[in-house]
Amino acid sequence: MICTVDATHDPNLRSWVESANQAGSDFPIQNLPFGVFRRQHQVDPPRIGVAIGDQILDLAACSQLGLLQELPDSVQMACTASNLNPLMALGRMASSALRHHLSQFLSAAQPPPATDDILVPMTMAELLLPATIGDYTDFYASIFHATNVGKLFRPDQPLLPNYKYVPIAYHGRASSIVSSGTPIHRPIGQRKAPNETVPTLAPCQMLDYELEVGCFVGKGNTLGEAISIEQAEEHVFGLCLVNDWSARDIQAWEYQPLGPFLAKSFATSISPWIITLEALAPFRGQAFSRSADDPQPLPYLNSATNQQQGGINLRLEVWLTSAQMRQQNLPPVRLSSSSFQQMYWTVAQMLTHHTSNGCNLRPGDLIASGTVSGELAGTEGCLLESTQRGSKPLTLPTGETRAFLLAGDEVTLRGYCEQAEYTRIGLGECRGIVS
Ligand code: CA
């Protein structure tokens, strides 16, 4: 089932939180993404909030004040938890009911509540990981990324024959997923240049970002029971931005024959707000249109609904500032702009494939899409592609060049949905400065 457009997406809706009504806000009343925060410099436990304009609506406070009483007890309880896992576990009906309630509560058609204890300015808050992430799986769902990377390593056969049949993934490390803004330490690892005979242990010299979209699992599935393509989106809570930081020199030496390991597990950054599938309903569209000589997905990965509505018209961008750019007060430079709708596999196909062997997904598990790259120059989702493995460095506004990331570089990922007749919504930012 695909979420449908309803009264919560009405572009005429306004909020009594004024900043939410400003054009270009990532968090208008039509968005209502969930996250976990605490007031900075305070030791109170993490609590659940909803981004609205430049404020956070404190759901624990709302619950304590009886402002959520119309909702089922289970939803009220989940709103007082220290992470989103309990709300995720309740499934789509619960998050949808909460969304409808909050849409009405925050609407300018209602008088603002007498208390101001329920709003926290986002700049005052510490934004945390939104869920306890039990497992993290990273796919490889952009055929353009797979082809571009394949060309660098296997010019004769860039795309391996399994790619168009099986959504490729590796099992990532959940423990090193960090919230946006966490500094990224350059990893040390085994590297061996082609002209060297033995590897050495040394700091990574080819540090890279990967622009990805993350999907948080909502309701889980029982071990041994696969999720069908028709049911897949019932198990999705929402999306965020993911930067799968990658050490290319470590990766090149270690990845065969079992795939990525320490080149990836040193850090993965995610954005703090989870945009629900309900919020994304107006921005759904066709899945990737395969050319006539491409095979159709196997039946378990194929459905008419997924083909017609499985895509998400989500624009994605990568921005960079160097330390020198910041010293000179220069604005960030955009390195990439692409569309999530260009992915070869949809979110539903990735999730369905993941469970096809009976593997159980649990609430709060994170499934990332793999690097999002398009077909054209300027759409590459990582430096490995855009600099051709470092052979064609980029030039920054200061005149500095970059083959890979240097100390002090800040990478910011952004995402937003924009479509005629609907209010723009954003995913916010995913940031990290590398050492
Ligand atoms: Ca990746």
Side-chain angles (χ1 to χ4, degrees):
M1 295 292 288
I2 304 275
C3 291
T4 50
V5 173
D6 58 34
T8 64
H9 306 99
D10 182 347
N12 296 315
L13 274 182
R14 293 286 181 276
S15 174
W16 46 262
V17 180
E18 272 306 321
S19 59
N21 304 324
Q22 287 169 11
S25 168
D26 276 346
F27 309 119
I29 191 170
Q30 290 82 359
N31 193 347
L32 303 178
F34 295 98
V36 170
F37 73 102
R38 66 175 146 223
R39 288 168 199 248
Q40 229 160 17
H41 311 303
Q42 289 195 6
V43 287
D44 31 314
R47 45 179 62 203
I48 295 173
V50 169
I52 178 80
D54 59 7
Q55 305 286 312
I56 301 171
L57 180 70
D58 182 336
L59 288 191
C62 287
S63 185
Q64 280 153 14
L65 290 167
L67 299 173
L68 306 177
Q69 269 176 352
E70 290 166 32
L71 293 163
D73 288 349
S74 57
V75 179
Q76 290 184 55
M77 284 290 289
C79 287
T80 60
S82 59
N83 57 47
L84 285 165
N85 298 64
L87 182 63
M88 291 165 160
L90 292 175
R92 173 81 76 70
M93 294 287 280
S95 53
S96 184
L98 182 53
R99 173 181 169 80
H100 276 85
H101 182 78
L102 295 174
S103 175
Q104 289 174 10
F105 175 69
L106 289 164
S107 166
Q110 305 280 334
T115 172
D116 60 358
D117 287 347
I118 54 174
L119 286 182
V120 179
M122 213 179 282
T123 51
M124 299 289 289
E126 183 186 359
L127 297 171
L128 307 171
L129 289 179
T132 298
I133 301 168
D135 274 297
Y136 162 44
T137 303
D138 194 13
F139 277 85
Y140 197 53
S142 163
I143 195 168
F144 303 116
H145 172 69
T147 304
N148 289 343
V149 172
K151 273 181 195 162
L152 294 171
F153 295 94
R154 296 177 304 274
D156 299 338
Q157 191 187 24
L159 205 62
L160 294 172
N162 60 359
Y163 189 85
K164 292 177 179 176
Y165 290 96
V166 56
I168 303 289
Y170 73 93
H171 192 177
R173 184 81 193 162
S175 66
S176 52
I177 296 175
V178 297
S179 56
S180 174
T182 304
I184 303 302
H185 295 287
R186 182 176 298 269
I188 286 171
Q190 272 201 33
R191 312 154 24 212
K192 190 186 86 62
N195 59 345
E196 293 170 338
T197 52
V198 293
T200 51
L201 186 76
C204 164
Q205 304 241 309
M206 298 170 80
L207 186 57
D208 201 356
Y209 57 80
E210 287 190 340
L211 163 66
E212 306 198 12
V213 172
C215 161
F216 272 99
V217 173
K219 191 174 60 176
N221 62 306
T222 306
L223 182 64
E225 290 181 9
I227 296 172
S228 69
I229 185 87
E230 289 82 9
Q231 286 296 309
E233 291 201 6
E234 291 296 316
H235 295 265
V236 175
F237 183 76
L239 306 185
C240 67
L241 298 165
V242 174
N243 186 340
D244 180 29
W245 303 99
S246 298
R248 300 302 185 193
D249 40 3
I250 299 172
Q251 185 179 358
W253 173 237
E254 76 171 8
Y255 87 101
Q256 289 178 318
L258 279 184
F261 180 32
L262 302 181
K264 302 278 192 174
S265 62
F266 61 96
T268 306
S269 302
I270 65 171
S271 57
W273 298 108
I274 308 180
I275 316 302
T276 60
L277 281 197
E278 285 89 350
L280 293 162
F283 310 102
R284 303 305 299 266
Q286 285 199 331
F288 188 90
S289 64
R290 296 184 173 211
S291 62
D293 50 355
D294 265 14
Q296 286 304 301
L298 293 183
Y300 79 102
L301 291 176
N302 205 353
S303 82
T305 306
N306 182 64
Q307 287 305 307
Q308 290 156 14
Q309 297 272 291
I312 302 174
N313 180 14
L314 164 61
R315 299 294 312 175
L316 296 162
E317 296 174 348
V318 182
W319 297 77
L320 178 87
T321 59
S322 65
Q324 201 175 319
M325 286 170 70
R326 289 193 297 279
Q327 275 163 16
Q328 296 181 18
N329 286 320
L330 293 171
V333 61
R334 194 174 74 187
L335 300 186
S336 172
S337 172
S338 58
S339 169
F340 191 53
Q341 207 165 354
Q342 288 290 299
M343 299 301 266
Y344 197 77
W345 299 104
T346 64
V347 169
Q349 285 172 321
M350 290 185 250
L351 194 138
T352 299
H353 181 66
H354 203 315
T355 66
S356 60
N357 67 344
C359 173
N360 54 325
L361 299 178
R362 294 176 295 188
D365 282 359
L366 182 66
I367 293 174
S369 62
T371 307
V372 182
S373 294
E375 200 169 12
L376 306 172
T379 64
E380 303 93 341
C382 62
L383 290 173
L384 179 68
E385 286 172 70
S386 58
T387 71
Q388 298 279 294
R389 209 182 182 183
S391 66
K392 294 181 179 167
L394 309 172
T395 303
L396 303 180
T398 48
E400 300 170 276
T401 58
R402 284 295 179 279
F404 289 97
L405 298 171
L406 296 185
D409 287 352
E410 180 174 49
V411 178
T412 302
L413 311 182
R414 292 193 184 131
Y416 59 92
C417 297
E418 219 167 41
Q419 202 157 292
E421 295 175 30
Y422 289 102
T423 305
R424 173 196 186 280
I425 63 171
L427 274 69
E429 291 184 344
C430 178
R431 292 186 301 109
I433 295 187
V434 302
S435 58

